[in-house]
Amino acid sequence: QLVESGGGVVQPGRSLRLSCAASGFSFRLYGMHWVRQAPGKGLEWVAAISYDGSKKYYADSVKGRFTISRDNSKNTLYVQMNSLRAEDTAVYSCAKDISGSTLDNYFDYWGQGTLVTVSS
Amino acid sequence: DIQMTQSPSSVSASVGDRVTITCRASQGLAGWLAWYQQKPGKAPELLIFAASSLHSGVPSRFSGSGSGTDFTLTINSLQPEDFATYYCQQAKSFSLTFGGGTKVEIK
């Protein structure tokens, strides 16, 4: 199970940190991703992190502003979002990579998501 | 980035119909492609990975085919629970990208 938290309404230029609590699988063995969906729009991949946190990847739209991280001792995935813009408004979901030890980039389990609204 | 183009953007079909959705990539993917189903207000669910491998628990009426730049999702004998939006996603290289989605509606 994946449960996101930390969403809310934030002003442009401010920061927010989202969390994703994982249970029911060996979190430390799997890569993880963040994917977002703007209201009424399609899916957009945001960031990925390897099982041990040594490799991180970002969409161009968030590179330099978002930071993905994980705490395997707490079974929790994070994304720190800085310099937020109106176009970052979306439901943010965490997703588990299908493969252990490598990032195969298929998302076999998803959380329900947390809504982030960037507005003044 | 690799661009993913899905067609059609919507399709009207009846229970029992066969539905085919196509996805074209701007660069070759080999077989690095997935298909997801999303129902309103719900998280997406993985149907197919590696172009043609059925994810655990997914009904066998769903199938995927293709390689390189052209891929297809086929739903045989459409069921009431299959009315949803379907997305393809390339898994070959970062930044990962999704198609625009295909909404399967009741005729």
Side-chain angles (χ1 to χ4, degrees):
Chain A
Q1 185 182 11
L2 298 169
V3 179
E4 301 89 345
S5 60
V9 180
V10 60
Q11 293 179 327
R14 303 299 291 265
S15 300
L16 206 60
R17 188 178 83 156
L18 306 182
S19 301
C20 168
S23 61
F25 67 98
S26 297
F27 177 75
R28 63 184 178 84
L29 298 181
Y30 290 91
M32 296 293 295
H33 303 260
W34 286 100
V35 179
R36 68 185 181 184
Q37 188 168 30
K41 302 297 185 182
L43 301 168
E44 181 186 15
W45 172 81
V46 173
I49 188 168
S50 60
Y51 72 102
D52 60 356
S54 64
K55 298 178 183 178
K56 301 177 184 181
Y57 305 89
Y58 298 94
D60 289 344
S61 58
V62 306
K63 199 172 293 182
R65 300 188 299 123
F66 288 16
T67 302
I68 189 171
S69 63
R70 65 190 298 159
D71 186 337
N72 286 345
S73 68
K74 296 182 178 179
N75 288 346
T76 303
L77 175 73
Y78 304 98
V79 62
Q80 176 68 43
M81 305 186 295
N82 299 331
S83 302
L84 282 161
R85 307 166 179 167
E87 53 265 37
D88 295 319
T89 294
V91 172
Y92 286 74
S93 299
C94 57
K96 172 185 165 292
D97 196 279
I98 198 171
S99 176
S101 77
T102 63
L103 280 167
D104 276 3
N105 301 325
Y106 301 120
F107 317 130
D108 62 347
Y109 293 101
W110 299 61
Q112 287 300 316
T114 185
L115 176 61
V116 173
T117 303
V118 183
S119 173
S120 53
Chain B
D1 293 0
I2 299 175
Q3 307 304 313
M4 305 300 294
T5 304
Q6 265 182 258
S7 61
S9 57
S10 65
V11 58
S12 294
S14 300
V15 172
D17 285 353
R18 179 163 66 185
V19 172
T20 299
I21 300 168
T22 63
C23 184
R24 175 163 289 177
S26 61
Q27 302 174 30
L29 304 180
W32 290 93
L33 185 107
W35 291 97
Y36 300 87
Q37 177 194 70
Q38 187 179 34
K39 297 179 180 178
K42 299 293 187 181
E45 294 185 356
L46 178 65
L47 299 174
I48 303 285
F49 64 98
S52 59
S53 296
L54 200 66
H55 182 50
S56 174
V58 175
S60 59
R61 63 181 178 272
F62 291 93
S63 64
S65 64
S67 67
T69 60
D70 295 311
F71 300 86
T72 299
L73 173 70
T74 300
I75 312 171
N76 284 303
S77 187
L78 198 67
Q79 296 301 300
E81 60 267 31
D82 300 337
F83 292 96
T85 300
Y86 294 83
Y87 294 93
C88 62
Q89 174 240 327
Q90 67 86 8
K92 185 174 190 295
S93 64
F94 295 105
S95 297
L96 308 179
T97 44
F98 290 87
T102 296
K103 188 173 185 179
V104 177
E105 299 175 301
I106 302 173
K107 183 183 285 185

